[in-house]
Amino acid sequence: MTAAVSANLPPHALVSEFEGWPEDSGLLLIEGPHYTGKTTLLTEISKKASASGALVLWATGWPGEHRSSCSVLKQLHRQADEADAMSPHPAGTAMTQLTEVPSPWPGASAHHRAYRRLLAMASQRPLLIAVDDINHADRASQDVLRFLARRLKGTRIRLVMTHRTGQAVSYCDGFVTDMLRLPYTRVVRLRPLSLEEVTGHIRRVTAVLDDRQTDTPTSEIAEKVYAITGGNIILVLLLATKHLDAVGGGRQAPVVDADFHDSVRVQVKGVELPGFTHGARAAAVLGRHCSPYRLSRLLDGDPFQADQVLRTLQDLGMMDGGQLRHHPGQALIDDPAFIGRTYLHLDAARVLFDDGVSVEHVAAHLTAAGRLRAPWDLPLVMELVGRTLEAGNHDVARALLRIAQASATSTGGRSAVDMLLLRTEWLTNPPLAASLLPPLVAAARGGALGVSDMAFLTRALTLHGFSDRAGELMAMIRDVPPQADAWAEVLLARVLYCVWHGVSRQQAQLAPQSTDESYDFGLSNRVPWLLTALHKVPEFLKQGDTAGAAFVAEQILEGIRVKSSGPEPFLVVCMILQVTNSLPVAQEWCVKFSHALDDYPSPVWRAALSFVQARISFQFGDLGSAHRLLGEALAHKSWPEWGGHTAFLAALQVEILTEMGRHEEAAEVLDLPVPQSSLRGFGGLFYSRARGRHYMAVGRLHAAVAEFENCRYTYSCQDSRFLLTAPWRCDLAEAYLRIGKVDEAREILLEYDGLLLGEETAVRGKTLRLLAKISEPDQRIPLLKNSADVLECSNSWLELAYTLAELASAYREAAQLSLARTAMKRAQRLAQQCKAAMLQELITMDATADSAQREGAEHHEEFAALSSAERRVAFLAIQGHSNREISKRLFITSSTVEQHLTRIYRKLHVRHREDLEDRFSWTLAGAGGHT
């Protein structure tokens, strides 16, 4: 039995045992795996002994040399001979005599002679014999060391050996057993350091920093080092040295670099267990999900090997709570020599999938593999993608689909993957969606897609600018009866296609063609509620129930989710809200959806939101915001990508630029190519109306009339009240008035006013304004006031500014100049706020005409006998202002006004104010040429 068995000592404690040596002698056996740094510690002991004046003879047992006779002794022989050659008193007996003994004990006298020689060497100076890795020492060398070990007591010789434990094959089990029987053998079993020991070691390292200071406490650094290394002696020493250099360079944290990773790999590869390196890498791949059972399934179902791998890694200090620590695990995974990484990731993914681990972790392994092979195939991956999408993990699904896409070989498999990838990416990655559309259209033509996929593809084609191909697929869908579970999606695609392209509901076949009860949408389907709502809206509008239509529209908005719903229903709903004068509701939902997109970046949704917000801003009259938002919409989705919605985009842009007075830019937009498919239905109506507005603004009146008459023809071919969103009737009536067709304009306006009776919309406000132009003078002001009230209630500030400008003109004609100026000032203020340059120019021209009228009246020859002050008073009196009003406007007293009037009556030969107004009112009407 050994005299004492050492506790598991850290390096500094072990080396400190040699303080005062060689007063004591004995045998020290250091046990531990290769990676515990036995050689490092043996080196430190040798340095300590040499510093104390001892002679050190060092030998190493090398793998593969256990069959070479006396391989360890030959190393000792050379060093002993060198020591004798340098010593003034040689020991005499040559160590070569020891190497000539091939068997255990036939020549014991040779052992005695060598032993006496060692004693003679030790009499001159203490002697330390250090043998590293006794596992690989040959039999003859073990016999000599056994002979020496039994005779160390009372000598100045120490024997220190390291024994590598945990090996599959050992050649020194009998030798070690004999050593442990010696009473003076001291055994030190190395193991990972504890946190306290690491802290003490770091404290000693930082003590040598001299004047350099570290702001990080030693305990904090030790905790970080321990968390990284798990107390592995070699890694702790490495990080401690790195920390010393880091503090000198100004850094305060331990450094994990390529040297650290290399050290981990060397230690793992140095373990002489069959398949250990592969097992350690498998444990690293499994990561936090590693367990003996799962690891054994990656190691050909060998539970013993899995348990041995994990226990060895635990001894290494690389395990933490049953899983490999992050940095050592990363070092093994990133090893350039790890050529089986792909296969291990695929196997690990299947193991985790079979165990029901969450799809994110399974997908992470498949993504790391980058391709598929057994035990994975395309149908299994598609099943996993389906689970991922159901869980709402779209990012994970995208990664899996890209792997499946790269691994698909058959045409049908590739089409299925592309279709699912399109469903996942069509809102977040427009370039990818656009690249998937052509091959999917080809697959649909070849019959490789189901009707449900074709319906969805139609929506994607329309949304991403391929309206012609969408029409082709829509015709194909009508010829193929859908399955029961696909009917809802097919019907939704038809509804949305018809809304955007102006197809009648009868032509769209918006009801199931079969009365079979198998057409059951199901409570879990997300589509039927939207279909039901979309069917209600036209009926409400047809009955004139705008409140009901607005209510249904808000129901649809509440059911829309940006992550799972396309933007087309949202765009349709905003059209409904525009018709029903509920744009503030749409504005609130735009803000809510914009916040939802913070966590779901979708350029398609951003473009749709910006477009709708631009439409809302234009409807309110905020041209600056509308122009900016439209620019954002084009930034998220370029002009060619708008496809079926290009006409809507162009129409809004032309209207905004026209009202801002930027007519050349509006003309440039009209020159841009617009797909013919987008000009069918509502898009063409909006586009034609905007082009007519531009023509009317630049004075091309007959071209404007032609555009608006085209709108009337288009309307006659449609079956929807959505067309109220394009008030072509008002535009046509205004154009008729401009070219002198008053009767035609009156007929249109009276008919339209009857349709809009009771509504408070911008369209009705504009209709009332135009009616005032063709009404009798006594009806003009009431109609304009009514128009202003309606427009103010509908928050249509730009149209209100136009009405106020007309009202100011009507007040002037009625000689109510104070009210005229008030209305004009408000019109000017609104025009400036709206940035409506065209209206501002009209108001400026009108104000200039009014100033010319006043100046002409004041300098008329009839007033030549009056002074300038008397002319100003006379001018205001003729306009109907009272004495008090005149005094306030001219900043004079009422008595002064009376005095001026008395002189005016005398000079102009009139008796009172009524005569003055009757005689000279024609002067105001004709002085400036204004009507």
Side-chain angles (χ1 to χ4, degrees):
M1 299 293 292
T2 57
V5 178
S6 169
N8 297 328
L9 298 177
H12 68 274
L14 182 61
V15 175
S16 66
E17 288 195 353
F18 284 82
E19 296 288 350
W21 186 81
E23 281 73 7
D24 191 13
S25 62
L27 188 149
L28 181 63
L29 183 62
I30 305 174
E31 290 188 340
H34 165 73
Y35 43 74
T36 52
K38 301 181 305 300
T39 302
T40 302
L41 299 180
L42 192 59
T43 302
E44 293 296 323
I45 292 173
S46 300
K47 289 180 179 179
K48 186 70 174 178
S50 180
S52 301
L55 174 63
V56 177
L57 302 180
W58 180 289
T60 301
W62 296 101
E65 292 188 355
H66 65 281
R67 297 182 184 275
S68 299
S69 178
C70 301
S71 60
V72 171
L73 293 180
K74 289 177 181 178
Q75 299 177 51
L76 298 176
H77 150 69
R78 288 192 296 270
Q79 297 177 51
D81 289 346
E82 291 174 0
D84 270 346
M86 298 177 61
S87 175
H89 305 287
T93 303
M95 288 290 291
T96 52
Q97 296 178 7
L98 296 176
T99 64
E100 296 172 356
V101 182
S103 59
W105 304 109
S109 60
H111 292 7
H112 281 285
R113 288 194 298 272
Y115 175 64
R116 286 195 296 270
R117 182 176 183 236
L118 292 174
L119 288 177
M121 296 175 66
S123 64
Q124 299 176 13
R125 53 192 299 195
L127 179 62
L128 173 66
I129 300 176
V131 181
D132 188 23
D133 273 352
I134 195 65
N135 305 64
H136 301 290
D138 59 280
R139 182 67 178 274
S141 297
Q142 290 182 19
D143 291 340
V144 172
L145 293 174
R146 182 185 288 110
F147 182 87
L148 296 175
R150 294 175 60 188
R151 291 162 176 79
L152 290 178
K153 187 65 174 177
T155 68
R156 301 178 68 192
I157 303 174
R158 265 202 173 189
L159 179 60
V160 182
M161 296 179 291
T162 65
H163 175 215
R164 184 187 302 189
T165 59
Q167 304 304 298
V169 179
S170 177
Y171 305 101
C172 67
D173 290 341
F175 175 79
V176 171
T177 301
D178 290 341
M179 296 300 101
L180 293 177
R181 290 174 180 172
L182 298 175
Y184 44 80
T185 298
R186 184 176 178 83
V187 179
V188 175
R189 294 186 175 91
L190 298 181
R191 47 79 181 155
L193 304 179
S194 66
L195 176 59
E196 292 76 11
E197 293 165 347
V198 172
T199 303
H201 184 69
I202 297 296
R203 186 174 291 112
R204 283 186 295 276
V205 170
T206 55
V208 303
L209 295 179
D210 301 328
D211 296 332
R212 291 171 291 177
Q213 298 295 324
T214 173
D215 297 331
T216 307
T218 301
S219 59
E220 183 178 337
I221 299 173
E223 290 176 0
K224 293 179 180 179
V225 170
Y226 184 79
I228 295 172
T229 65
N232 181 289
I233 295 175
I234 296 178
L235 298 180
V236 169
L237 294 174
L238 177 63
L239 284 190
T241 304
K242 293 287 185 179
H243 171 66
L244 178 63
D245 297 336
V247 172
R251 297 190 301 271
Q252 301 295 328
V255 177
V256 177
D257 55 9
D259 292 339
F260 181 92
H261 287 180
D262 289 341
S263 178
V264 171
R265 295 164 190 162
V266 168
Q267 293 182 54
V268 170
K269 294 175 183 178
V271 177
E272 295 179 0
L273 290 175
F276 176 77
T277 300
H278 177 71
R281 288 169 174 169
V285 168
L286 284 172
R288 58 177 294 189
H289 298 100
C290 182
S291 68
Y293 176 62
R294 288 173 180 159
L295 183 59
S296 67
R297 289 153 68 187
L298 294 185
L299 302 178
D300 299 326
D302 188 346
F304 174 76
Q305 183 184 17
D307 182 68
Q308 193 175 33
V309 167
L310 293 179
R311 282 191 292 104
T312 305
L313 289 173
Q314 184 69 42
D315 293 340
L316 175 62
M318 294 184 181
M319 299 294 290
D320 181 20
Q323 68 183 45
L324 205 59
R325 294 182 184 272
H326 170 71
H327 291 287
Q330 199 62 45
L332 295 176
I333 293 176
D334 295 340
D335 189 354
F338 188 10
I339 59 176
R341 183 186 299 106
T342 297
Y343 304 107
L344 267 181
H345 275 296
L346 290 170
D347 293 337
R350 187 55 190 264
V351 167
L352 298 181
F353 178 76
D354 293 340
D355 287 354
V357 177
S358 62
V359 292
E360 294 92 339
H361 301 292
V362 177
H365 286 290
L366 289 176
T367 304
R371 59 189 178 92
L372 302 180
R373 69 155 184 83
W376 288 92
D377 54 22
L378 190 59
L380 188 59
V381 173
M382 296 297 281
E383 177 187 347
L384 182 60
V385 171
R387 295 187 188 181
T388 306
L389 291 175
E390 289 177 1
N393 300 324
H394 294 274
D395 293 338
V396 176
R398 293 186 193 101
L400 290 175
L401 285 170
R402 290 190 179 94
I403 297 173
Q405 186 183 41
S407 304
T409 55
S410 65
T411 302
R414 181 62 179 263
S415 299
V417 174
D418 286 352
M419 193 67 229
L420 195 52
L421 186 60
L422 177 65
R423 288 179 180 270
T424 308
E425 296 275 10
W426 74 310
L427 298 178
T428 57
N429 194 340
L432 177 61
S435 69
L436 293 172
L437 293 175
L440 286 174
V441 171
R445 291 169 180 163
L449 295 184
V451 66
S452 176
D453 288 338
M454 291 173 65
F456 181 83
L457 183 57
T458 301
R459 293 176 60 188
L461 287 168
T462 303
L463 191 63
H464 288 279
F466 298 89
S467 298
D468 292 333
R469 296 180 185 178
E472 176 188 350
L473 288 187
M474 185 57 63
M476 295 171 60
I477 291 174
R478 282 196 293 268
D479 297 335
V480 179
Q483 299 297 323
D485 57 351
W487 180 256
E489 192 164 10
V490 171
L491 193 57
L492 177 61
R494 289 178 179 174
V495 170
L496 294 173
Y497 180 84
C498 294
V499 168
W500 291 120
H501 297 87
V503 180
S504 65
R505 284 179 290 168
Q506 290 76 13
Q507 183 181 353
Q509 301 177 359
L510 298 184
Q513 299 175 352
S514 171
T515 57
D516 190 350
E517 294 181 358
S518 63
Y519 286 109
D520 182 10
F521 290 153
L523 296 177
S524 62
N525 199 304
R526 300 178 181 179
V527 175
W529 67 270
L530 180 58
L531 289 171
T532 303
L534 289 175
H535 277 292
K536 288 180 181 179
V537 171
E539 299 301 327
F540 279 124
L541 292 177
K542 187 175 182 180
Q543 298 169 9
D545 187 0
T546 56
F551 177 76
V552 173
E554 192 160 3
Q555 280 184 322
I556 297 175
L557 286 174
E558 290 179 353
I560 290 176
R561 297 293 179 269
V562 295
K563 291 185 179 181
S564 57
S565 304
E568 322 103 287
F570 168 71
L571 294 173
V572 172
V573 167
C574 290
M575 293 175 62
I576 299 170
L577 293 173
Q578 182 177 349
V579 171
T580 58
N581 195 39
S582 302
L583 281 177
V585 175
Q587 190 175 34
E588 293 174 4
W589 279 100
C590 284
V591 174
K592 293 179 181 178
F593 289 147
S594 181
H595 291 328
L597 288 173
D598 291 340
D599 299 326
Y600 181 70
S602 170
V604 178
W605 259 106
R606 285 290 182 189
L609 280 177
S610 297
F611 172 75
V612 170
Q613 288 175 314
R615 165 59 64 183
I616 294 171
S617 296
F618 178 74
Q619 188 71 18
F620 287 160
D622 188 356
L623 300 180
S625 296
H627 187 262
R628 174 181 56 80
L629 290 167
L630 203 58
E632 292 180 5
L634 285 169
H636 291 298
K637 193 176 181 183
S638 64
W639 180 274
E641 294 174 345
W642 283 86
H645 304 100
T646 305
F648 293 94
L649 179 75
L652 180 58
Q653 195 168 13
V654 169
E655 287 191 84
I656 293 172
L657 293 172
T658 298
E659 293 295 344
M660 296 180 76
R662 297 158 67 170
H663 302 303
E664 292 183 2
E665 294 181 45
E668 291 175 359
V669 174
L670 290 172
D671 290 337
L672 293 175
V674 177
Q676 288 298 316
S677 58
S678 70
L679 295 175
R680 304 185 191 115
F682 302 146
L685 188 69
F686 276 75
Y687 187 79
S688 186
R689 189 243 174 180
R691 187 162 52 189
R693 294 290 301 171
H694 167 71
Y695 288 157
M696 192 159 55
V698 297
R700 300 168 62 180
L701 300 180
H702 293 285
V705 170
E707 292 292 345
F708 298 139
E709 287 179 342
N710 179 57
C711 291
R712 177 164 59 181
Y713 172 76
T714 304
Y715 175 80
S716 66
C717 299
Q718 305 299 321
D719 177 26
S720 177
R721 288 277 290 186
F722 283 136
L723 297 175
L724 288 175
T725 59
W728 58 267
R729 293 176 184 265
C730 293
D731 301 320
L732 181 58
E734 186 176 0
Y736 278 157
L737 287 175
R738 296 277 294 274
I739 63 175
K741 293 186 176 182
V742 179
D743 293 337
E744 290 86 343
R746 180 180 289 107
E747 180 182 354
I748 293 173
L749 292 172
L750 290 176
E751 179 187 1
Y752 204 28
D753 188 53
L755 292 174
L756 300 173
L757 192 62
E759 293 188 4
E760 292 186 347
T761 62
V763 177
R764 184 164 189 269
K766 184 175 182 179
T767 303
L768 293 173
R769 182 175 73 241
L770 293 174
L771 280 172
K773 285 181 175 289
I774 59 176
S775 300
E776 298 297 328
D778 59 336
Q779 297 179 354
R780 187 179 179 195
I781 291 178
L783 283 173
L784 289 172
K785 284 184 175 181
N786 193 5
S787 172
D789 293 339
V790 171
L791 293 171
E792 191 160 13
C793 289
S794 63
N795 296 322
S796 301
W797 306 115
L798 179 59
E799 293 295 339
L800 177 60
Y802 275 106
T803 294
L804 290 174
E806 291 288 340
L807 185 59
S809 178
Y811 278 137
R812 282 196 302 270
E813 292 178 3
Q816 300 181 34
L817 299 184
S818 178
L819 295 176
R821 281 187 294 272
T822 301
M824 184 61 70
K825 286 181 179 179
R826 190 179 179 199
Q828 287 177 327
R829 185 169 61 252
L830 286 176
Q832 291 173 356
Q833 292 174 351
C834 294
K835 292 183 171 54
M838 188 173 71
L839 177 57
Q840 291 182 59
E841 183 178 355
L842 293 175
I843 292 175
T844 301
M845 292 173 59
D846 195 30
T848 303
D850 181 49
S851 176
Q853 176 193 36
R854 175 173 176 173
E855 183 180 354
E858 290 182 356
H859 294 84
H860 197 273
E861 60 183 5
E862 292 287 338
F863 295 150
L866 303 180
S867 66
S868 60
E870 290 170 349
R871 283 195 297 270
R872 286 193 294 271
V873 172
F875 176 74
L876 294 174
I878 294 171
Q879 290 180 320
H881 292 285
S882 65
N883 291 357
R884 189 176 209 180
E885 291 173 342
I886 295 173
S887 67
K888 290 182 177 180
R889 292 178 61 84
L890 300 180
F891 301 99
I892 56 178
T893 63
S894 298
S895 61
T896 303
V897 173
E898 292 175 359
Q899 295 172 14
H900 283 311
L901 286 175
T902 301
R903 289 191 290 270
I904 290 169
Y905 297 156
R906 184 178 66 252
K907 292 180 179 180
L908 297 180
H909 306 292
V910 297
R911 291 179 296 176
H912 43 67
R913 183 188 290 263
E914 288 76 11
D915 289 343
L916 181 66
E917 294 178 2
D918 292 341
R919 180 176 174 182
F920 294 101
S921 59
W922 61 269
T923 303
L924 296 181
H930 180 75
T931 59

